[in-house]
Amino acid sequence: MDLKIIDLAENHAKFVISGIRPDMANALRRALMTEVPKMAIETVEFHLGPIRDEDGKECESVSPLFDEIISHRLGLIPIPTDPDLYVFKDKCTCEGEGCPNCTIMYSLNKKGPCDVYSGDLEPLGGQELRVKDELIPIVKLGPKQALLIYASAELGTAKRHAKWQVTSGCGYRYYPTVNIDAGKCDASADCVKVCPRGVLEKKDGKVVVANLEACILCGACVDACIKNAISIHGDDSKFIFEFETDGSMSSRDTLRKAFEVLEKKFDDFREDVGSLIEG
């Protein structure tokens, strides 16, 4: 297997992986979508009753939305996650009680009238745990309305709930091969005009491949070429992958964690098969 990175930004990745089968490529896609663990808010506690500020002004702990809706919105906020720092709550040495090894605590204390955003969540710990996207709207509070909330985030995967899904737009396609028969090509450039991705261009009176990895194998150039000078096909042992993250983890950490998950699954499967053979 060979991996070539095309783009590895903070929240976006694009790479070419070769020397694998389509089923293995799909296994990587599924691992990226559902197997990479991340932190998300799971438990939310609401303070009930009146709330007074330092000036003695009293607000009621209510909002225009049901507590369940606010909890749901909090759960979908991307929480910064170090994949090597936290463990699953049910596997932690605290036996599910909640500790710094498996839980991140946040508080939210706002008094209306105001708009409440994700940036209003205050981590009970280091500032590196602050939500990176601070402008996700949660609720709009009116006069004499307030929210006093304690929320705890824990590790999970998208198999349990979509709020633990790190990636979006995760997909792959066969690596393209575009062949142009110079003897047949009349350089009319009709194929250049119809290509939706700018793969072809006319240069020095000839049609050439300018951006091969942008090809999506749509076949528009083949249909437009009346001389049948162009042929395309996809390599089923080489794939172009692309995905984005929600900001809770970097694309590098997400990709690394997906490979670790797959490696562990393959090792466990190998051990299970070996135990059956030995038995």
Side-chain angles (χ1 to χ4, degrees), residues 28 39 43 77 128 135 142 161 191 205 209 251 256 262:
L28 176 58
M39 301 295 285
T43 305
I77 294 173
E128 70 276 3
L135 296 177
H161 193 280
C191 56
V209 179
S251 59
R256 177 176 60 84
L262 282 179

Side-chain angles (χ1 to χ4, degrees), residues 8-13 132 243-251:
L8 198 61
E10 181 67 20
N11 296 338
H12 174 264
K132 293 181 180 179
F243 68 86
E244 295 180 355
T245 73
D246 63 356
S248 58
M249 292 172 57
S250 68
S251 59

